[in-house]
DNA sequence: CTGAAAGCGCTTACAG
DNA sequence: CTGAAAGCGCTTACAG
């Protein structure tokens, strides 16, 4: 592999000092009083040969990499992929490149990614934390490395957090169903102690209580292979349900599979509301009502907070939590309940009328 | 920011040489004849204090970063996101970290990403090329930096290419529709000269010709805002069509929106086949038939070829093209044509007719 | 078997 | 206004 020219090669070529080239390259020509003539000579040559400096060397020398490390749960999830897209764009405007990776919500994977990023001297972190990485985050903070958490957080850590109002989002979903005439509203959530999930669960519970209803909750382990079957069983056992709220994107997708397999009609047999909007929700038949997160604003706040911290690394850090509102996007899957429902079943519940497609 | 300990700090601490530590760290203790006693002393200390070496310094010294730069069209596209997931896993097994970015198929974005990666001394590249970056790729090859192209390629460049049989995939789609009784099969594709699209188009054209049919093609510019309207107009003008093949994932999604807006039934009014499978295709009503790419094998071949090249950087490079087969996944959207309009859907399938939301 | 030293390509305090 | 030199934290050829 041919060695690329270095600043010193160019210095020799042009018979100027490497110092001058460095100043010009970093836009410090004026400040450091490099003559305009010299500056032009250097710039012309650099453009001619298409020189680009070795950023590895620069990083080693300055201790800054201009890289932000970003950990998301799953880069192929529509919520996380759109967040990263926005973050990437905004970071670029500030001169930063973002490297992201998926944790799949696994503690060990998150720990090893943080280690890898640290070894490469990443300047700051944006993290949707997995459970169990409090120590790693604390260690970053101890070394004064800027960290912003989003989507979920650790209440005991004095981090900067960009969150949404999970409680209210779930509450709104239930309330919307109630207003539209649904009486028995079930919930499908993850079996998780992470804040985003517990807050959503609380929103559901409180909304149910407020109307003196009875809750009915199914908790499924993260990334469970048999999520569809679990939901299917849940719906079969709890025939009285006339609506279900799904607390994540993927649970809603699994739920729709289960509902299709059971041959239920939405919303006639069962109304549906999802959490996290999805490009395809408007395309399903019927289209799916969902609690949407303000993706662009989340990304904007995340980068704003991080850049701010990167600018003043020695500033006193304190806990700071930003909570953004959700928005309920009403579509057909939660349409007003039709009271006059044919035949049997308690509360107008129709039994399976179609065989699942083999 | 506290300075992290370096190899020399540890050398001083333990009263050994930095050389020995470096050898131990790189698993060369045996080879370089470091005594077992010394090795143990060093390892113990390193584990105790949790030392991790500065990879930036290592990169600068060795000229290797152990990073692979990967350019995809759009990381949030299900096809590309699953490819990157596999590539990431497989690369990690070989000691490489993958940094990926989306080009959005824009020439300038791709060029600037390649520049950014080069500045950071990335060891090798995996690229789904945008149009117009032949020169950049040639320049990488001139500098003996390993490059593997996938999904599409430049026939005039002697690169390593991992492709699928786009021609056959499209041909199969048309043939399947023909066998199921469809006579007037239209096509919706991108207005693109990239190989993956031209090959698919050729597959369609030849399949139509082989049956002495008449083709009917709509070409839409990449990322066109009004794709739905274009398709809608196309379907309205060409009322004779009884089936349509969509040559990309997103075109199929836009097509479904158009079809919903027009109030057409699938497959009764119009049968559908997509290119690239999609997690949600099985969930739509009806489920969508698609030409699936062998994602895991593509990723496997891509990494295999790249690692091979990274191992022997000076080896003669020659053009090498690997073509993998596609698989047609038959679902309900292309069900056998029923001459007399059906009462209910075939196979106990329920079609929910809902008006599009205004 | 072990260690001192040079050098990867930058930046910047310092001396002229 | 300009340049020589030190140093960021590693690796490795070389001398002992």
């Amino acid at each position: 592999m041919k060695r690329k020219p270095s600043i010193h090669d160019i210095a020799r070529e042009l018979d100027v000092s490497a110092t001058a080239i460095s100043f010009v390259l970093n836009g410090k020509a004026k400040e450091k009083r490099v003559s305009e003539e010299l500056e032009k000579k250097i710039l012309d040559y650099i453009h001619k040969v298409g020189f680009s400096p070795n950023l590895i060397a620069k990083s080693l020398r300055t201790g800054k990499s201009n890289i932000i490390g970003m950990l998301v749960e799953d880069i192929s999830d529509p919520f996380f992929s759109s967040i990263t897209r926005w973050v990437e764009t905004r970071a670029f405007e500030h001169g930063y490149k973002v490297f992201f990776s998926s944790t799949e919500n696994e503690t060990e994977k998150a720990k090893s990614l943080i280690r890898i990023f640290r070894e490469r001297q990443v300047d700051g972190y944006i993290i949707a934390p997995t459970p169990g990485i409090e120590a790693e985050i604390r260690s970053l903070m101890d070394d004064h490395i800027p960290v912003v958490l989003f989507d979920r957080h650790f209440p005991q850590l004095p981090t900067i957090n960009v969150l949404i109002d999970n409680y209210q989002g779930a509450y709104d979903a239930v309330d919307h169903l109630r207003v539209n005439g649904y009486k028995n509203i079930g919930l499908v959530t993850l079996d998780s102690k992470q804040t985003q999930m517990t807050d959503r669960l609380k929103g559901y519970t409180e909304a149910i209580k407020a109307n003196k209803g009875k809750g009915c909750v199914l908790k499924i382990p993260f990334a469970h292979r048999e999520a569809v079957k679990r939901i299917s069983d849940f719906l079969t056992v709890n025939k009285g349900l006339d609506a279900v709220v799904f607390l994540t994107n993927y649970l809603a997708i699994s739920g729709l599979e289960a509902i299709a397999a059971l041959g239920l009609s939405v919303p006639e047999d069962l109304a549906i509301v999802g959490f996290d909007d999805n490009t395809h929700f408007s395309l399903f038949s019927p289209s799916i009502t969902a609690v949407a997160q303000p993706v662009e604003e989340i990304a904007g706040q995340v980068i704003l907070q991080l850049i701010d911290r990167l600018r003043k690394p020695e500033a006193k850090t304190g806990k700071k939590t930003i909570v953004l509102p959700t928005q309920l996007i009403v579509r057909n899957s939660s349409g007003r309940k039709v009271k006059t429902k044919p035949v049997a079943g308690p509360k107008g519940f129709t039994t399976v009328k179609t065989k699942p497609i083999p």
Side-chain angles (χ1 to χ4, degrees), chain A:
Chain A
M1 194 166 339
K2 268 195 307 221
R3 199 172 62 78
K4 292 185 56 182
S6 78
I7 258 186
H8 282 99
D9 296 326
I10 294 181
R12 214 172 305 120
E13 201 74 36
L14 288 181
D15 200 28
V16 303
S17 77
T19 309
I21 299 178
S22 176
F23 288 157
V24 170
L25 240 28
N26 290 296
K28 293 185 179 172
K30 294 269 164 332
E31 177 191 341
K32 297 293 186 176
R33 301 151 169 276
V34 175
S35 67
E36 285 199 11
E37 190 189 10
L38 221 198
E39 183 181 11
K40 184 164 172 359
K41 182 176 171 185
I42 292 172
L43 282 177
D44 285 353
Y45 185 80
I46 281 172
H47 287 143
K48 202 183 76 189
V49 302
F51 171 77
S52 70
N54 182 328
L55 257 36
I56 296 279
K58 183 172 179 166
S59 288
L60 178 59
R61 180 54 232 242
T62 61
K64 303 266 121 232
S65 61
N66 278 291
I67 293 177
I68 293 170
M70 181 162 178
L71 298 187
V72 299
E73 186 170 295
D74 175 2
I75 189 63
S76 61
D77 178 273
F79 170 68
F80 287 110
S81 74
S82 50
I83 292 268
T84 55
R85 282 283 274 279
W86 283 110
V87 165
E88 198 175 18
T89 309
R90 302 292 316 280
F92 185 77
E93 295 163 9
H94 291 276
Y96 285 89
K97 173 91 190 110
V98 182
F99 287 149
F100 36 88
S101 274
S102 305
T103 62
E104 321 200 10
N105 221 22
E106 289 170 24
T107 306
E108 287 314 315
K109 198 153 183 227
K111 285 184 181 176
S112 96
L113 285 168
I114 291 176
R115 191 174 43 71
I116 289 172
F117 280 141
R118 288 197 81 154
E119 288 172 345
R120 300 196 191 282
Q121 318 299 122
V122 156
D123 290 342
Y125 291 77
I126 297 170
I127 304 178
T130 67
I133 58 164
E134 291 89 334
E136 281 69 23
I137 290 179
R138 208 182 275 280
S139 155
L140 289 171
M141 297 174 72
D142 287 346
D143 291 346
H144 300 281
I145 302 174
V147 182
V148 172
L149 304 186
F150 77 103
D151 195 54
R152 58 288 291 271
H153 70 299
F154 296 114
Q156 70 274 29
L157 288 184
T159 46
I160 300 178
N161 310 306
V162 178
L163 309 171
I164 55 153
D165 195 340
N166 286 295
Y167 175 92
Q168 194 62 44
Y171 197 107
D172 290 349
V174 174
D175 217 49
H176 160 69
L177 286 166
R178 185 188 57 74
V179 168
N180 269 4
Y182 298 94
K183 301 288 186 204
N184 294 292
I185 304 167
L187 184 79
V188 177
T189 183
L190 293 177
D191 187 6
S192 160
K193 287 181 172 150
Q194 293 189 281
T195 53
Q196 82 281 19
M197 299 316 297
T198 55
D199 288 354
R200 289 176 199 178
L201 176 57
K202 213 176 294 166
Y204 165 82
T205 314
E206 294 296 321
I208 294 289
K209 267 198 214 153
N211 297 292
K212 305 182 173 47
K214 273 195 309 185
C216 183
V217 175
L218 170 65
K219 293 186 179 186
I220 299 179
F222 186 80
H224 195 279
R225 288 165 176 280
E226 299 197 329
V228 176
K229 180 160 188 328
R230 292 280 188 104
I231 295 171
S232 181
D233 291 350
F234 174 73
L235 295 177
T236 307
V237 171
N238 299 285
K239 286 212 193 300
L241 294 177
D242 57 3
V244 175
V245 176
F246 293 95
L247 285 190
T248 81
N249 210 313
Y250 275 109
L251 289 174
I253 299 289
S254 298
L256 289 170
E257 283 190 54
I259 287 165
L262 292 174
L264 300 176
S265 295
V266 176
E268 293 80 3
D269 299 332
L270 195 69
I272 297 290
V273 178
F275 210 106
D276 279 358
D277 201 21
N278 181 312
T279 341
H280 299 161
F281 277 179
S282 59
L283 286 175
F284 286 122
S285 297
S287 55
I288 309 296
T289 296
V291 179
Q293 304 202 33
V295 172
E296 195 175 338
E297 284 172 55
I298 295 172
Q301 277 298 331
V302 159
I303 207 75
L304 193 71
Q305 298 301 326
L306 187 67
I307 296 286
D308 186 56
R309 219 15 94 74
L310 285 165
R311 291 267 161 75
K312 28 187 182 182
E314 297 303 338
K316 264 273 175 291
T317 66
K319 186 164 177 163
K320 183 170 179 183
T321 298
I322 292 161
V323 178
L324 300 167
T326 60
Q327 191 195 351
L328 186 73
I329 303 198
V330 177
R331 298 202 183 90
N332 294 333
S333 69
S334 60
R336 177 164 286 283
K337 184 163 185 173
V338 184
K339 301 282 172 172
T340 49
K341 189 63 184 176
V343 233
K347 323 220 168 193
F349 188 84
T350 354
T351 36
V352 182
K353 56 181 174 188
T354 330
K355 281 212 172 164
I357 304 162

